[in-house]
Amino acid sequence: MGIGGVDQHTAAPASSGGLALLTSGTVSAAAALDIPLTAYTAYEGFLFVLREFIPATDNTALWIRFSTDGGSSFDAGASDYTARGPEVAPTTAAQISILITLGNGAAEGMDTEVRILNAGTAAQKTRLFSLSSGYRADDGSPIGTNVYAYRNTAQDTDAVRFLFSSGNIASGKYAVYGYV
């Protein structure tokens, strides 16, 4: 098990078109999942796949934050990000917020795909798009959502943090792919 309850595995990237698996692993009993991107500067963008992510605290949201210093700190100012989606009113905030009412029961949790472009381009804003998420409500019904968001300042984003708005990540699996 790695630092902070994160078990990380890495794989060599592919050398031609499509998606290349960059890293994957599991996370449990961790405050956040931090994924440094400093070793992946040759990629045009990234696809993060989170599966069976369960918060330790009931009725919470998944947050995403970006870093420009390899993950030593993450942008968390009051108006660092702009986001919009069915469950996110047009807003500026200290993080990109997804899924406002995520539960922590055994039959709850979430699965999501997050696509990020312009991460390594200091002259452009890092964009998060086509984020599609699904989770089960307290009554067992399926719920899905999409969010479009971006960092309000152009920057070279070289790490991403996933965390819940309250409590730890109880458990989950993740994979990171690079667009080649």
Side-chain angles (χ1 to χ4, degrees), residues 37-127:
L37 302 173
T38 52
Y40 310 123
T41 57
Y43 295 92
E44 296 179 14
F46 301 95
L47 171 63
F48 300 85
V49 178
L50 308 180
R51 295 181 306 131
E52 301 167 17
F53 253 56
I54 299 176
T57 305
D58 198 26
N59 208 20
T60 188
L62 179 68
W63 288 352
I64 303 170
R65 293 180 175 159
F66 300 148
S67 173
T68 59
D69 58 14
S72 294
S73 64
F74 288 84
D75 303 321
S79 61
D80 281 348
Y81 306 92
T82 296
R84 180 165 187 145
E87 293 201 18
V88 179
T91 185
T92 56
Q95 65 279 320
I96 299 165
S97 182
I98 305 152
L99 301 175
I100 305 307
T101 58
L102 187 61
N104 68 342
E108 295 177 303
M110 69 175 296
D111 301 300
T112 189
E113 293 183 355
V114 177
R115 291 170 178 85
I116 294 179
L117 294 180
N118 298 338
T121 307
Q124 295 183 10
K125 297 176 181 179
T126 301
R127 295 178 288 152

Side-chain angles (χ1 to χ4, degrees), residues 32-35 63-67 71 74 159-163:
L33 171 60
D34 294 346
I35 302 175
W63 288 352
I64 303 170
R65 293 180 175 159
F66 300 148
S67 173
F74 288 84
V160 175
R161 170 175 280 176
F162 295 94
L163 69 158

